Amino acid sequence: MSTWQSLSERADAFVLGLMDDSEREQAERDIDTDHAFAREVGAARDRFLELDLAGPAASVPADLWPRIEQRLGVTNADKPVDAATSPAPSRPEPMNDNWTHHWRSIALSAIAASLLLVASLTYTVLSSPEPQVIAVLMNAEGQPVVMIEDFGNDSAKVVPLMDVSVPADRSLQVWTLPSADLGPVSLGVLDGWNTVTLDGPALPSPQETQLYEITIEPAGGSPTGRPTGPILGKGFASIPR
């Protein structure tokens, strides 16, 4: 087992994914009980934010949209003509194995997924307030986990796109990054894995490419007000056209 000279060094290893399974599980337990370590994890996430956002773009998986359609119950009759006749996404390019580049690739691919989703769900937004931005959050395997619709009025709609199992002693928490200066801000803690509208804090109007993510936190949410747990999914926003 690895040893670290300080809490800060250990937090860095946790955030960068350098721990083995037993070390990571112990670190997750310590976040619940060791407030000093939890604060260091939050600080490490902020410190490595620029690295987390650096990397090349990646193509959207060929079966991405069919899986989203199946989850949302979209039929051929519901689709706009442009979306129904549009060419299939190109074959995914191999992703960089580097941890930070890998996450950037997944996050950037969510922009393309968001644009496709907006075009194909026009019929649903005509009868409801239109979101200012939409983000599809992807997991480490490039699978769509959840869609976030941010209405810019301190509320955001969370729409699950795949089944997720969360331990009873953990909560899912939704975050966004309005700016690097402001840092990650919680939009709310989910009571369950279902479609819900969160009433978040007063924030600047959401922007295109704004970062959103969902993390697995201790029950009730992060003890530090910053993301501390494993990332379930993340992605960048796109503006509905």
Side-chain angles (χ1 to χ4, degrees), residues 150 152-156 174 176 178 182 184-188 198-204:
D150 195 332
N153 58 358
D154 307 334
S155 67
V174 182
T176 189
L182 190 58
V185 178
S186 174
L187 296 180
L198 298 174
D199 294 321
L203 293 173

Side-chain angles (χ1 to χ4, degrees), residues 59-66 86-92 112 116:
S59 301
V60 178
D63 63 343
L64 169 63
W65 177 237
S86 61
S90 60
R91 182 180 300 276
L116 180 60

Side-chain angles (χ1 to χ4, degrees), residues 125-131 149 151 153:
V125 301
L126 290 177
S127 59
S128 60
E130 183 175 351
E149 297 179 322
F151 296 95
N153 58 358

